[in-house]
Amino acid sequence: MKLAIIGGGGFRVPLVYGALLRRRPFDDVVLYDVDPGRLERVAHVLEGQAAEHGDRVPFRTTTDLDDALEGADFVFVAIRVGGLEGRTVDEGVPLGHGVLGQETTGPGGICFALRTIPAMLDLAERVARLAPGAWMVNFTNPAGMVTEALQQVLGDRAIGICDTPSALCRRVAAALGRVPEDLRFDYFGLNHLGWLRAVHDGSGDLLPGLLADDELLASLEEGTLFGAEWLRSLGMVPNEYLYYFYFSADTVDAIGRSARPRGAYLLEQQAAFYDAEPESPPEALRRWRAAKDERDRTYMAEARNGHTPAPLSDDEPGGYEGEAMAVVEAIRGNTGTTLILNAANRSALPFLDERAVVEVPCVVGAAGARPLAVGDVPDHARALIGTIKAVERATIEAAVTGSTALAIKALALHPLVPSVTAAREIFTEYRERLPDLEERFA
Ligand code: G6P
Ligand code: MN
């Protein structure tokens, strides 16, 4: 079975390769990237992993996209159009207006999508031509919008994944002293905009007990992030990305007090890894692990007030590579496993139309991912989902058509953008600082 990894020089590719070594679903793995230097650097890390593992899953690298895609059974895509330089602009411009500057939430996510969607649509056309039977597993952010755009070309063969819903479920299970496999998680929303509203074990909902218990909540990442009182007010546990909505002004202040926004920090942190002199595979692996630990430790620092998230090891189950592997195994084995994925709504959330891509538990088998019915959700969540879906759709259409009016509409409709005037100013500045965007929206 052939796997093509698009964005093969990406920093998280060794996580995927680690999962491939452990679970071995593919005998042909091709890493594609536009940047041969990054590809070579990551290939070294992979060789280090294979040596450490004492066994190798064969892989090769290429800068020829068609070569990578031809006949692939699965295509994993994690690309960053415009690189981390683009991310610094996405985040920096709104911050200059006192508005949240974040990679996927708020204006940053809209600008990121405007850059990314055209490239992803080209890629989807190529996949349809060269690997018509392939499943495209998308990790590219903003994953919800990107997956909805991809489905215009590939339909249900494009599936979006994110590590945050399953990570939330695992943490909640741990706080409850249970294993996630024994529980049913009632989670709903859009990518980076979801809530866990119930946890069933067959005899009842365990969430109210968790929400009532200060000590248990203190052991939960989301308890520290949102505070017990706010979680009890909601009666649900929100995805960590909801912090940017519920505590948006606090985030802007915290970033203002920090040395620099996340993208600017990563630009330097990642360059230190990628620009190092060529070294032996074990040394490259050691250096990648150190860079990854540092990246994990500082994740969402602007929301954590000095508190560092629990460390993750690179062979832990889960993570986005664990989700991707679970999708592959569920499709290949036609298992009917339930996974929280980005897929077309059908009627899972009855207040959205059937083509809207949502992030909900899906039953996954040989025919793809079928969302489970969610039904009614609390009013405020429903309203926010509806608003953000409207923003996402205006963004997708703006990306496809190059319409400035639609881009400004998307920005202005976003609840974190305070006015149409601010939306106009932010978009003007984005265009000034991103020549490709200026060209597309000329
Ligand atoms: C989480 C999200 C991803 C996002 C990442 C950002 O894992 O689910 O969608 O890309 O965080 O992490 P970073 O280290 O780039 O800030
Ligand atoms: Mn994500």
Side-chain angles (χ1 to χ4, degrees):
M1 232 198 355
K2 178 176 176 181
L3 169 67
I5 301 182
I6 309 305
F11 188 71
R12 293 192 173 94
V13 167
L15 293 172
V16 174
Y17 191 66
L20 295 179
L21 281 170
R22 288 190 298 276
R23 290 156 84 159
R24 307 208 146 250
F26 297 101
D27 48 23
D28 183 9
V29 178
V30 184
L31 272 57
Y32 161 84
D33 206 282
V34 289
D35 182 335
R38 284 171 66 93
L39 209 45
E40 197 187 324
R41 184 85 181 120
V42 167
H44 258 75
V45 177
L46 268 46
E47 292 298 353
Q49 290 175 288
E52 189 180 87
H53 194 75
D55 194 6
R56 193 173 185 279
V57 169
F59 71 89
R60 62 184 178 89
T61 60
T62 180
T63 51
D64 177 345
L65 181 55
D66 290 1
D67 171 30
L69 293 178
E70 188 100 60
D73 298 284
F74 283 85
V75 180
F76 288 0
V77 199
I79 60 171
R80 188 177 281 286
V81 179
L84 283 166
E85 289 82 359
R87 180 168 176 178
T88 65
V89 177
D90 297 340
E91 296 176 346
V93 168
L95 286 167
H97 294 260
V99 173
L100 177 76
Q102 208 282 328
E103 164 193 42
T104 61
T105 302
I110 295 171
C111 188
F112 193 14
L114 293 176
R115 256 201 321 281
T116 306
I117 286 170
M120 291 296 282
L121 288 174
D122 286 349
L123 178 62
E125 303 279 2
R126 260 200 230 219
V127 170
R129 209 170 60 239
L130 295 167
W135 293 92
M136 186 156 172
V137 180
N138 177 53
F139 318 59
T140 304
N141 271 326
M145 275 191 257
V146 167
T147 304
E148 187 161 321
L150 287 174
Q151 289 205 344
Q152 294 178 1
V153 181
L154 296 170
D156 288 339
R157 287 199 167 260
I159 296 174
I161 63 172
C162 176
D163 58 323
T164 60
S166 61
L168 166 58
C169 295
R170 270 198 310 279
R171 287 192 290 266
V172 165
L176 290 165
R178 304 290 289 263
V179 290
E181 292 72 23
D182 293 346
L183 303 171
R184 189 155 53 77
F185 296 95
D186 186 0
Y187 182 93
F188 68 90
L190 306 179
N191 179 238
H192 292 184
L193 191 88
W195 294 262
L196 180 65
R197 74 167 170 188
V199 181
H200 299 285
D201 72 345
S203 55
D205 181 4
L206 308 176
L207 204 54
L210 174 64
L211 293 178
D213 189 322
D214 279 334
E215 217 171 296
L216 288 187
L217 283 182
S219 75
L220 180 71
E221 206 61 51
E222 285 70 15
T224 332
L225 200 59
F226 294 102
E229 204 184 305
W230 182 236
L231 293 184
R232 286 199 274 266
S233 296
L234 290 171
M236 305 188 284
V237 183
N239 182 293
E240 61 200 9
Y241 274 81
L242 258 306
Y243 186 87
Y244 298 124
F245 286 90
Y246 296 140
F247 295 90
S248 139
D250 309 64
T251 310
V252 173
D253 288 349
I255 298 173
R257 287 193 308 272
S258 72
R260 59 213 151 152
R262 180 74 174 162
Y265 157 77
L266 284 176
L267 189 59
E268 197 176 295
Q269 197 258 357
Q270 293 281 286
F273 166 74
Y274 280 103
D275 298 346
E277 290 300 314
E279 50 200 356
S280 70
E283 186 54 24
L285 173 59
R286 197 196 55 74
R287 219 196 267 256
W288 173 79
R289 282 204 176 113
K292 179 191 167 289
D293 287 349
E294 194 194 19
R295 187 171 184 162
D296 288 348
R297 225 178 19 250
T298 51
Y299 172 65
M300 269 198 160
E302 68 279 13
R304 293 188 196 272
N305 202 9
H307 154 84
T308 39
L312 299 167
S313 84
D314 54 310
D315 57 2
E316 204 164 326
Y320 88 162
E321 69 286 0
E323 289 312 291
M325 230 44 71
V327 169
V328 170
E329 286 168 1
I331 290 177
R332 292 298 291 183
N334 195 17
T335 59
T337 310
T338 302
L339 299 169
I340 301 174
L341 299 172
N342 289 270
N345 179 48
R346 297 195 173 85
S347 54
L349 293 174
F351 53 94
L352 294 178
D353 63 72
E354 48 186 272
R355 297 169 77 93
V357 165
V358 296
E359 193 170 80
V360 297
C362 297
V363 174
V364 190
R370 171 177 291 272
L372 289 165
V374 174
D376 278 343
V377 304
D379 284 350
H380 101 276
R382 170 193 176 131
L384 195 48
I385 291 171
T387 301
I388 296 300
K389 186 47 80 181
V391 169
E392 290 187 356
R393 290 208 156 146
T395 305
I396 294 169
E397 222 188 314
V400 171
T401 58
S403 155
T404 296
L406 276 169
I408 290 172
K409 183 176 174 188
L411 287 161
L413 289 179
H414 200 291
L416 297 180
V417 176
S419 72
V420 176
T421 309
R424 289 190 181 124
E425 288 170 3
I426 287 170
F427 192 59
T428 301
E429 238 176 283
Y430 275 147
R431 284 173 52 167
E432 281 165 9
R433 293 187 50 189
L434 296 165
D436 290 350
L437 200 71
E438 174 62 29
E439 200 179 307
R440 187 165 275 275
F441 287 86

